[in-house]
Amino acid sequence: HVQLVESGGGSVRAGTSLTLTCVTSGYTDDGHCMGWFRQVPGKQREKVALIGSDRATHYSQSVKGRFTISLDNAKNTLSLQMNSLKPEDTAMYYCVAGQWTGSLSLSQFDYDYWGQGTQVTVS
Protein backbone atom coordinates (compact mmCIF):
# COMPACT_ATOMS: atom_id res chain seq x y z
CA HIS A 1 0.00 0.00 0.00
CA VAL A 2 1.63 3.22 -1.23
CA GLN A 3 1.52 6.21 1.05
CA LEU A 4 2.77 9.74 0.45
CA VAL A 5 2.98 12.09 3.40
CA GLU A 6 3.77 15.75 2.81
CA SER A 7 5.07 18.26 5.28
CA GLY A 8 6.70 21.67 5.32
CA GLY A 9 3.87 23.92 4.27
CA GLY A 10 3.08 27.14 6.08
CA SER A 11 2.45 30.85 5.88
CA VAL A 12 5.39 32.95 4.76
CA ARG A 13 6.20 36.40 3.42
CA ALA A 14 6.82 37.00 -0.26
CA GLY A 15 10.46 36.67 -1.20
CA THR A 16 11.25 34.05 1.41
CA SER A 17 11.86 30.32 1.04
CA LEU A 18 10.13 27.11 2.05
CA THR A 19 10.96 23.45 1.61
CA LEU A 20 8.26 20.84 1.14
CA THR A 21 9.02 17.21 1.94
CA CYS A 22 7.21 14.05 0.92
CA VAL A 23 8.03 10.76 2.59
CA THR A 24 6.98 7.71 0.62
CA SER A 25 6.30 4.17 1.78
CA GLY A 26 5.06 0.98 0.21
CA TYR A 27 6.47 1.77 -3.21
CA THR A 28 8.15 -1.01 -5.20
CA ASP A 29 11.50 -0.34 -6.76
CA ASP A 30 10.24 -0.72 -10.33
CA GLY A 31 10.97 2.85 -11.24
CA HIS A 32 8.65 5.76 -10.84
CA CYS A 33 7.93 9.36 -11.57
CA MET A 34 7.31 11.70 -8.69
CA GLY A 35 6.49 15.31 -8.34
CA TRP A 36 4.36 18.11 -7.04
CA PHE A 37 1.07 19.53 -8.19
CA ARG A 38 -0.78 22.46 -6.65
CA GLN A 39 -4.33 23.67 -6.60
CA VAL A 40 -6.19 26.79 -5.60
CA PRO A 41 -9.90 26.43 -4.82
CA GLY A 42 -11.93 27.09 -7.93
CA LYS A 43 -8.97 26.69 -10.27
CA GLN A 44 -7.51 23.80 -12.22
CA ARG A 45 -4.82 21.68 -10.71
CA GLU A 46 -1.38 22.78 -11.93
CA LYS A 47 1.80 20.78 -12.20
CA VAL A 48 4.71 22.37 -10.42
CA ALA A 49 7.74 20.11 -10.72
CA LEU A 50 8.30 16.50 -11.71
CA ILE A 51 11.22 14.08 -11.60
CA GLY A 52 11.68 10.71 -13.23
CA SER A 53 13.66 7.58 -12.45
CA ASP A 54 16.31 8.85 -14.87
CA ARG A 55 16.45 12.08 -12.81
CA ALA A 56 15.03 14.09 -15.69
CA THR A 57 13.06 17.03 -14.33
CA HIS A 58 10.28 19.28 -15.54
CA TYR A 59 9.22 22.59 -14.08
CA SER A 60 6.25 24.73 -14.89
CA GLN A 61 7.20 28.03 -16.42
CA SER A 62 5.84 29.88 -13.40
CA VAL A 63 8.33 28.29 -11.00
CA LYS A 64 11.33 27.62 -13.21
CA GLY A 65 14.45 29.13 -11.71
CA ARG A 66 12.86 29.49 -8.28
CA PHE A 67 11.90 25.93 -7.31
CA THR A 68 14.10 22.83 -7.23
CA ILE A 69 12.85 19.27 -7.00
CA SER A 70 15.04 16.50 -5.63
CA LEU A 71 14.67 12.84 -4.80
CA ASP A 72 16.58 10.89 -2.17
CA ASN A 73 15.86 7.21 -2.81
CA ALA A 74 17.87 6.11 0.23
CA LYS A 75 15.53 8.11 2.46
CA ASN A 76 12.40 7.61 0.35
CA THR A 77 12.02 11.36 0.35
CA LEU A 78 10.99 13.82 -2.31
CA SER A 79 11.68 17.49 -1.68
CA LEU A 80 10.69 20.78 -3.24
CA GLN A 81 12.89 23.75 -2.41
CA MET A 82 10.90 26.91 -3.08
CA ASN A 83 12.77 30.20 -3.22
CA SER A 84 11.63 33.74 -3.92
CA LEU A 85 8.06 32.84 -3.12
CA LYS A 86 5.29 34.97 -4.56
CA PRO A 87 1.66 35.42 -3.49
CA GLU A 88 0.61 33.56 -6.62
CA ASP A 89 2.41 30.48 -5.25
CA THR A 90 -0.29 30.23 -2.61
CA ALA A 91 -2.00 26.85 -3.01
CA MET A 92 -2.43 23.38 -1.63
CA TYR A 93 0.60 21.37 -2.73
CA TYR A 94 0.27 17.67 -3.42
CA CYS A 95 3.02 15.07 -3.67
CA VAL A 96 2.38 12.54 -6.43
CA ALA A 97 3.86 9.27 -7.64
CA GLY A 98 3.30 7.17 -10.71
CA GLN A 99 4.68 4.28 -12.69
CA TRP A 100 7.82 4.91 -14.72
CA THR A 101 7.15 4.17 -18.39
CA GLY A 102 10.48 5.28 -19.81
CA SER A 103 9.77 8.99 -19.97
CA LEU A 104 8.59 11.68 -17.60
CA SER A 105 4.83 12.05 -17.71
CA LEU A 106 3.47 15.59 -17.49
CA SER A 107 -0.17 14.61 -17.03
CA GLN A 108 -1.77 14.45 -13.61
CA PHE A 109 -3.78 11.47 -14.82
CA ASP A 110 -0.62 9.36 -15.04
CA TYR A 111 0.04 9.74 -11.31
CA ASP A 112 -1.78 7.08 -9.36
CA TYR A 113 -0.79 8.10 -5.87
CA TRP A 114 -1.43 11.43 -4.18
CA GLY A 115 -0.64 12.73 -0.74
CA GLN A 116 -3.12 14.55 1.43
CA GLY A 117 -1.65 17.94 0.57
CA THR A 118 0.14 20.67 2.47
CA GLN A 119 -0.95 24.30 2.37
CA VAL A 120 1.43 27.04 1.31
CA THR A 121 0.31 30.62 1.85
CA VAL A 122 2.44 33.53 0.67
CA SER A 123 1.53 37.08 1.61
Side-chain angles (χ1 to χ4, degrees), residues 38-59:
R38 67 186 181 188
Q39 189 167 25
V40 176
K43 293 190 175 181
Q44 282 194 331
R45 195 172 288 164
E46 175 191 18
K47 62 180 178 286
V48 178
L50 304 166
I51 185 167
S53 284
D54 61 356
R55 291 298 189 266
T57 57
H58 173 86
Y59 296 92

Side-chain angles (χ1 to χ4, degrees), residues 4 19 22 26-28 33 37 52 59-60 69-70 72 83 85 97 104 106 109 112 120-121:
L4 308 175
T19 300
C22 175
Y27 219 99
T28 64
C33 298
F37 282 76
Y59 296 92
S60 70
I69 189 171
S70 60
D72 185 338
N83 298 327
L85 283 162
L104 186 58
L106 305 184
F109 301 107
D112 300 317
V120 172
T121 302

